[in-house]
Amino acid sequence: MPTGLEGVAAKAREDKNLVFTSLAHHITKEMIWENLKHIPNDSAVGIDGIDVKTAKETFNQWIDELMASIHRQCYKAPPVRRVWIPKPGKSEKRPIGVPCVADRALQRSVVQVLNAIYESDFLGCSFGGRPGIGQHNALATMDRIIMGNKVNWVYEADLKNFFGSLDHGWLLRFVEHRVGDPRILSLIRRWLKAGVMEDGAFAESLLGTPQGGSISVLLSNLYLHYVLDLWFNKAIKPRLKGECYLVRYIDDFIVCFENKEDAERFVRVLVKRLSKFALTLELSKTRLIEFGRNAARNAKAKNSKPETLYFLGFTHYCGTNRKGNFKVGRRTEKSRLKRSINKLQDRMREIRHWTVGEQIGIINQMLRGHYNYYGMGGNYQALAKVYHETKKFLKKMLSSRSWKGNVTWELFDLIMEKIPILRPFIKIPYSSFVKYAML
């Protein structure tokens, strides 16, 4: 963090009610250049058609005008280019906004400045969209809460069309609690109203923030900080009889309860709270289940199995460790596992005529990403399944390269000895969960 922003962060920590009226001078040419350098060269282009490489080469030609427009409060945020990507395991698609490259670098710079303020404001239950705090921290925190506290019921929830439902009026009011610099506020308003371009047609943005820009992640996180996190900690927890805990990863969240009555009461008031801020629950992904150290015993008495919990791509279940004590077990969610295998197989079909070394290089890159995300303690079996399915399909692809190119298992094993496929690994073992947990 630059020295100037360290001062901002220190003031934000000292005074939680301080409104910062001068922030834009922290956005410098050097900061924008550094953020531009971190954008990959193969990133998608915005509506202006300028790619990352061209934006870097012409940086000195457009940066002065950009800086002047910020301080004159006349920056014109270009509309984002809307593209549609398929939702995992579903037929419908999700809209993603692709900002112009220069606008993307500016957004990253503004986020860097605002993070200096909000990192001291965000609560320990908030994960995702924050520097150095991701899904593994959320999962480890959930694990520690359920295993170390009086948790018998878990409410898992998801917000319907969250990024497209944010109310601009409420969002700006939340920002103004801490930001009083008119130049920063002007940039945020213009990004919110920038609109989208799709197939040459322009559409206004009256609600929400388009997914794809870094500013939208911060603003969305900020929105739920006020709507959900602070409300839960200040208005809900003191009124409940038993223990309760919130874990939120952007718009996915779970709430853990000691008492069922508290959970049911929370569910009733949550719907009213969200509706006040133009948010609704995705009912297909929202439910209250019995989960915790007593769930397995109660299910056994009813001659049934305890329910499982779905959160951040994992299926969590009530298990036991080697000593017979309760633990939260986890495995890759079935739909996510199938999606990962299909993605690997599709890629292997595309590159099957490349050299064997090039193919395995691409495969290992994809496997490393999969292991890095799903490589948590207790999930080795699911990782091993992806590994073995990858080996089987690679042999099939190598055998299909010509009509007489059948590859026997003996030959395939020799290939694997020379150029091995990356074996599964656990990135975060159970012993590291305490280090990753935030609550």
Side-chain angles (χ1 to χ4, degrees):
M1 185 181 293
T3 305
L5 291 183
E6 287 180 354
V8 171
K11 290 180 180 179
R13 287 192 297 269
E14 292 169 5
D15 187 352
K16 297 295 183 181
N17 297 314
L18 179 64
V19 179
F20 292 84
T21 57
S22 181
L23 291 170
H25 65 280
H26 293 290
I27 303 172
T28 62
K29 295 180 183 180
E30 293 75 20
M31 178 184 284
I32 294 176
W33 171 246
E34 286 300 318
N35 284 302
L36 179 62
K37 287 197 300 183
H38 283 89
I39 301 176
N41 284 334
D42 59 352
S43 297
V45 301
I47 62 168
D48 59 2
I50 298 176
D51 58 22
V52 177
K53 184 179 179 181
T54 303
K56 291 176 181 178
E57 292 172 350
T58 60
F59 177 77
N60 291 326
Q61 300 175 21
W62 54 263
I63 187 59
D64 289 332
E65 183 180 349
L66 175 66
M67 295 298 298
S69 67
I70 295 172
H71 295 286
R72 291 199 308 264
Q73 300 180 42
C74 63
Y75 175 73
K76 187 176 181 181
V80 297
R81 182 171 65 87
R82 174 174 284 169
V83 295
W84 295 83
I85 61 173
K87 287 187 176 182
K90 297 182 179 180
S91 57
E92 64 260 30
K93 295 185 177 182
R94 171 183 297 157
I96 295 291
V98 182
C100 296
V101 175
D103 187 66
R104 211 176 307 169
L106 177 58
Q107 285 191 32
R108 289 187 174 204
S109 301
V110 172
V111 167
Q112 192 174 344
V113 172
L114 295 180
N115 275 337
I117 300 171
Y118 290 120
E119 273 305 296
S120 64
D121 288 1
F122 289 144
L123 305 183
C125 62
S126 170
F127 304 88
R130 299 175 59 186
I133 301 176
Q135 76 283 348
H136 292 143
N137 300 101
L139 291 165
T141 301
M142 183 203 75
D143 191 270
R144 294 292 93 192
I145 287 173
I146 296 176
M147 291 178 60
N149 298 281
K150 298 176 181 178
V151 173
N152 299 309
W153 296 86
V154 176
Y155 180 69
E156 57 174 300
D158 184 47
L159 297 173
K160 186 175 183 179
N161 188 27
F162 171 64
F163 285 90
S165 303
L166 302 188
D167 182 274
H168 292 176
W170 278 114
L171 181 53
L172 288 169
R173 286 175 64 180
F174 295 150
V175 172
E176 289 168 357
H177 281 312
R178 291 293 250 164
V179 178
D181 189 329
R183 295 163 296 180
I184 299 296
L185 293 174
S186 174
L187 286 173
I188 293 174
R189 288 192 190 96
R190 290 172 183 270
W191 278 320
L192 291 175
K193 300 295 183 182
V196 297
M197 290 286 289
E198 184 177 4
D199 297 329
F202 174 79
E204 284 187 280
S205 299
L206 302 177
L207 287 173
T209 60
Q211 296 185 57
S214 55
I215 193 67
S216 67
V217 178
L218 173 64
L219 294 178
S220 302
N221 210 16
L222 181 64
Y223 199 87
L224 284 182
H225 168 71
Y226 286 101
V227 172
L228 183 63
D229 301 352
L230 288 178
W231 170 72
F232 179 81
N233 277 273
K234 294 186 176 182
I236 297 299
K237 289 188 74 170
R239 289 178 169 83
L240 299 183
K241 297 178 181 179
E243 297 181 11
C244 59
Y245 306 91
L246 170 68
V247 178
R248 178 178 65 82
Y249 186 86
I250 306 183
D251 61 329
D252 293 327
F253 63 94
I254 62 167
V255 191
C256 305
F257 298 93
E258 179 183 357
N259 302 323
K260 186 178 181 181
E261 296 77 13
D262 288 341
E264 291 173 338
R265 182 183 176 189
F266 170 77
V267 172
R268 289 194 297 270
V269 296
L270 175 65
V271 174
K272 296 179 182 178
R273 174 71 177 181
L274 294 177
S275 64
K276 179 180 177 181
F277 298 95
L279 299 176
T280 56
L281 292 168
E282 180 60 72
L283 297 180
S284 63
K285 299 180 182 179
T286 301
R287 60 185 183 138
L288 176 65
I289 63 171
E290 187 176 9
F291 194 91
R293 62 181 66 252
N294 297 321
R297 185 180 65 237
N298 295 339
K300 187 176 181 180
K302 299 175 184 176
N303 198 27
S304 62
K305 292 183 179 180
E307 293 190 83
T308 54
L309 171 67
Y310 302 97
F311 188 53
L312 298 183
F314 288 88
T315 299
H316 307 272
Y317 58 90
C318 300
T320 55
N321 59 21
R322 293 178 180 178
K323 296 181 180 180
N325 298 323
F326 168 75
K327 75 167 186 178
V328 177
R330 68 186 46 77
R331 57 180 177 267
T332 308
E333 192 180 330
K334 286 184 179 179
S335 62
R336 297 290 189 98
L337 184 64
K338 184 178 179 181
R339 183 182 75 181
S340 296
I341 293 173
N342 288 342
K343 188 175 180 181
L344 277 159
Q345 291 178 348
D346 289 342
R347 186 61 174 144
M348 282 188 276
R349 288 189 187 96
E350 294 174 359
I351 63 175
R352 63 179 174 171
H353 291 293
W354 294 16
T355 67
V356 175
E358 290 173 334
Q359 290 186 59
I360 294 179
I362 295 294
I363 291 168
N364 285 346
Q365 186 179 18
M366 297 177 70
L367 286 175
R368 184 174 288 106
H370 182 85
Y371 300 157
N372 281 335
Y373 186 97
Y374 293 103
M376 296 195 72
N379 194 41
Y380 187 85
Q381 189 174 356
L383 301 182
K385 183 173 182 178
V386 174
Y387 170 75
H388 291 300
E389 290 294 327
T390 300
K391 286 184 66 176
K392 285 165 54 179
F393 200 78
L394 177 61
K395 177 183 176 298
K396 180 180 178 180
M397 288 297 98
L398 294 178
S399 298
S400 68
R401 300 208 293 181
S402 68
W403 66 272
K404 59 178 181 179
N406 183 53
V407 176
T408 63
W409 278 111
E410 290 76 12
L411 176 58
F412 186 76
D413 289 339
L414 290 174
I415 294 173
M416 290 297 99
E417 288 179 11
K418 187 175 180 181
I419 317 174
I421 290 178
L422 185 66
R423 299 188 68 87
F425 59 84
I426 296 296
K427 182 180 180 181
I428 306 175
Y430 277 114
S431 59
S432 298
F433 277 23
V434 174
K435 180 178 69 175
Y436 278 81
M438 302 286 290
L439 291 176

